[in-house]
Amino acid sequence: MNDRDLSRPRQHAPEPPSGSLDTSPAAAPDAVARFRYDALTATWWWSDQLLAVFGHAPGGPTPSYEALMDQVHPGDQARLRSTVAGVLADGAAFSSRHRIITPAREERHVVVMGEGVRSNGSVIALRGYLIDQTEPFRRDVEQETADGIARSVATRAVIEQAKGALMATYGVSAEEAFQALRAYSNHTNVKLNALAAYVVAELDNPVHAHLRPQEKLGEILAAVTDRPGLLHHTRGGAPA
């Protein structure tokens, strides 16, 4: 069995009765997206639900290996072809996560799971399921984006707090305060947001409660200057 065998013209075989090649109860044939390749007759069968995921109406197009691959994202085709070739050779269970492109040029993310069917030592069929993961994938991307924005906002907020402390204590401008923090960051080889978080946390440290604001900030910055490795031993901006 090879890719050439799979790409020969095929007829759209009607769904057979429940049997060795069926993959779900006959009472609910399209409850999930299913597919099957019968190596003995060189025919494919795709459920209407699978056709819908690929952006087609029930009954068309004629299922074939190349029709399938034509809609797989070019960046995923080689990997999927290798997976199919492997299962046709050994019949082992398989899974694949890849992208497909619908006729309307919509990109969908799908997960395919299946197995080969063996008889007398040969793989006589391939069958499995397809799950459309487009919506969960979109939600994950949106959540990651939202999380990234939240982290960015939090980082800017703590830097602004540290800048504000320098401005209020030393009467410098926002730009001068930022340049001072950046200089300390370069000196300690610690990211600016980590330095700012440390300064803000230390301003609330009871150890410095007896000091006046200028003395307090001066002592914090002096500690950073005199002990460049100090911030490498902190968690969340506070000493470990």
Side-chain angles (χ1 to χ4, degrees):
M1 191 73 56
N2 53 38
D3 290 356
R4 185 180 307 163
D5 297 324
L6 289 168
S7 61
R8 289 188 317 214
R10 284 137 177 84
Q11 298 299 316
H12 187 170
E15 183 183 4
S18 181
S20 62
L21 297 185
D22 201 6
T23 55
S24 71
D30 285 330
V32 294
R34 298 178 294 142
F35 63 89
R36 179 173 55 257
Y37 172 70
D38 186 341
L40 300 180
T41 60
T43 56
W44 282 87
W45 176 82
W46 297 348
S47 72
D48 285 344
Q49 182 62 31
L50 188 145
L51 287 168
V53 173
F54 275 69
H56 301 290
T62 300
S64 72
Y65 183 63
E66 290 307 324
L68 165 69
M69 286 300 171
D70 282 347
Q71 286 193 238
V72 173
H73 190 286
D76 297 337
Q77 283 191 17
R79 177 166 49 83
L80 183 59
R81 287 181 185 273
S82 176
T83 297
V84 172
V87 70
L88 286 171
D90 58 27
F94 70 95
S95 65
S96 173
R97 182 184 296 271
H98 55 270
R99 296 159 291 176
I100 61 173
I101 308 297
T102 70
R105 308 311 299 168
E106 176 189 1
E107 182 177 285
R108 293 182 180 172
H109 296 256
V110 300
V111 173
V112 177
M113 297 176 290
E115 62 185 351
V117 179
R118 301 181 67 89
S119 178
N120 297 323
S122 300
V123 178
I124 63 170
L126 184 156
R127 63 187 179 186
Y129 306 86
L130 179 145
I131 303 171
D132 186 355
Q133 290 285 291
T134 304
E135 187 61 22
F137 179 82
R138 183 189 63 78
R139 289 198 299 267
D140 288 346
V141 170
E142 289 180 350
Q143 186 60 54
E144 289 177 4
T145 301
D147 291 345
I149 292 173
R151 288 192 296 270
S152 178
V153 170
T155 294
R156 290 198 301 269
V158 76
I159 291 175
E160 289 301 315
Q161 285 181 273
K163 282 171 52 180
L166 266 69
M167 292 165 65
T169 302
Y170 297 115
V172 296
S173 68
E175 179 61 25
E176 290 170 331
F178 179 76
Q179 292 301 331
L181 286 173
R182 190 163 68 174
Y184 281 108
S185 172
N186 291 336
H187 176 72
T188 58
N189 195 29
V190 172
K191 291 183 177 179
L192 182 59
N193 64 302
L195 171 65
Y198 176 78
V199 170
V200 170
E202 284 298 291
L203 286 171
D204 290 331
N205 192 331
V207 172
H208 307 301
H210 64 287
L211 299 174
R212 293 181 301 170
Q214 188 166 348
E215 294 174 336
K216 181 188 298 187
L217 190 54
E219 186 166 301
I220 293 169
L221 294 175
V224 173
T225 303
D226 296 339
R227 299 166 57 193
L230 178 65
L231 271 66
H232 294 286
H233 305 286
T234 62
R235 299 190 189 97

